[in-house]
Amino acid sequence: ASALSATATRRSPLTVAPPSNDQLVIAGKTFNSRLFLGTGKYKTAQDMADSIAASEAEVVTVAVRRVEGAVTSMLETSIDWNKVWLLPNTAGCTTAEDAVRVARLGREVAKTLGQDDNNFVKLEVITDSTYLLPDPVGTLAAARQLVKEGFAVLPYCSPDPVLCRHLEDIGCATVMPLGSPIGSGQGIDASSCIGV
């Protein structure tokens, strides 16, 4: 038997649990909400803050590439970072090297917001600007380096069970497979692959 089939027997099949109050634990950090929110596309900082508060999300993603002086100041004053965990992401990166560099910057942003122990990163390496599909080779290379550097890596990836297994094997904290192409409005369209 191959290594892949040997490891497949130790994993339980993916099941979708009904909504409940059970906690989500990623890299030793416990969350009461499973909802992650982004910080882009809001008309105002107040709209963003109101949305985060109303949703009760405990994880908020920030595209590190757009975090500059004014944006950092807005993030510092708009969000209570004692209640919300920052998930810096590498959106806009097209190479593994660029994603690693931006992840390092994201860790520094977390520190400026008072989260000195935050080593999380949502890893995105996207070379396809039309459909925004993740690059599996670049994602794997960047994830390998970031894990070596002590990051808790949450890679955005294709819903490929073999790729997800490789990402898990190198030490990623979890995987974030796409459910359907970004912006397609299709909802979860890859459930058969994700279910494997």
Side-chain angles (χ1 to χ4, degrees):
S2 72
L4 181 60
S5 63
T7 57
T9 58
R10 66 180 160 91
R11 302 183 198 290
S12 59
L14 176 71
T15 58
V16 178
S20 67
N21 291 331
D22 52 334
Q23 297 174 315
L24 174 65
V25 179
I26 300 174
K29 180 82 175 161
T30 302
F31 304 100
N32 293 310
S33 172
R34 293 173 180 267
L35 179 64
F36 290 25
L37 282 185
T39 54
K41 309 281 184 193
Y42 292 100
K43 288 183 181 180
T44 67
Q46 189 60 52
D47 286 350
M48 176 187 63
D50 291 346
S51 178
I52 292 167
S55 72
E56 298 182 358
E58 294 176 283
V59 179
V60 172
T61 67
V62 173
V64 175
R65 283 184 170 272
R66 69 178 184 85
V67 176
E68 296 173 4
V71 175
T72 301
S73 177
M74 182 264 305
L75 288 171
E76 287 174 343
T77 59
S78 300
I79 299 172
D80 183 349
W81 295 105
N82 293 314
K83 295 180 182 176
V84 176
W85 190 250
L86 174 67
L87 179 56
N89 72 56
T90 63
C93 293
T94 58
T95 66
E97 296 78 15
D98 194 27
V100 169
R101 183 185 62 78
V102 170
R104 292 173 183 148
L105 293 172
R107 184 162 42 192
E108 295 306 312
V109 169
K111 288 179 184 177
T112 67
L113 298 173
Q115 296 183 0
D116 292 338
D117 61 336
N118 187 340
N119 63 347
F120 279 48
V121 63
K122 179 183 177 200
L123 175 61
E124 298 182 29
V125 181
I126 299 175
T127 56
D128 172 38
S129 61
T130 303
Y131 298 103
L132 301 177
L133 298 173
D135 172 8
V137 175
T139 299
L140 193 59
R144 185 175 286 117
Q145 180 60 38
L146 291 169
V147 167
K148 285 180 187 175
E149 293 183 21
F151 281 87
V153 181
L154 290 73
Y156 167 68
C157 60
S158 300
D160 175 348
V162 175
L163 173 61
C164 291
R165 177 90 30 82
H166 286 302
L167 290 164
E168 178 188 17
D169 289 345
I170 64 170
C172 289
T174 189
V175 294
M176 301 177 77
L178 65 89
S180 61
I182 293 175
S184 68
Q186 296 177 17
I188 297 179
D189 192 37
S191 58
S192 60
C193 289
I194 293 171
V196 174

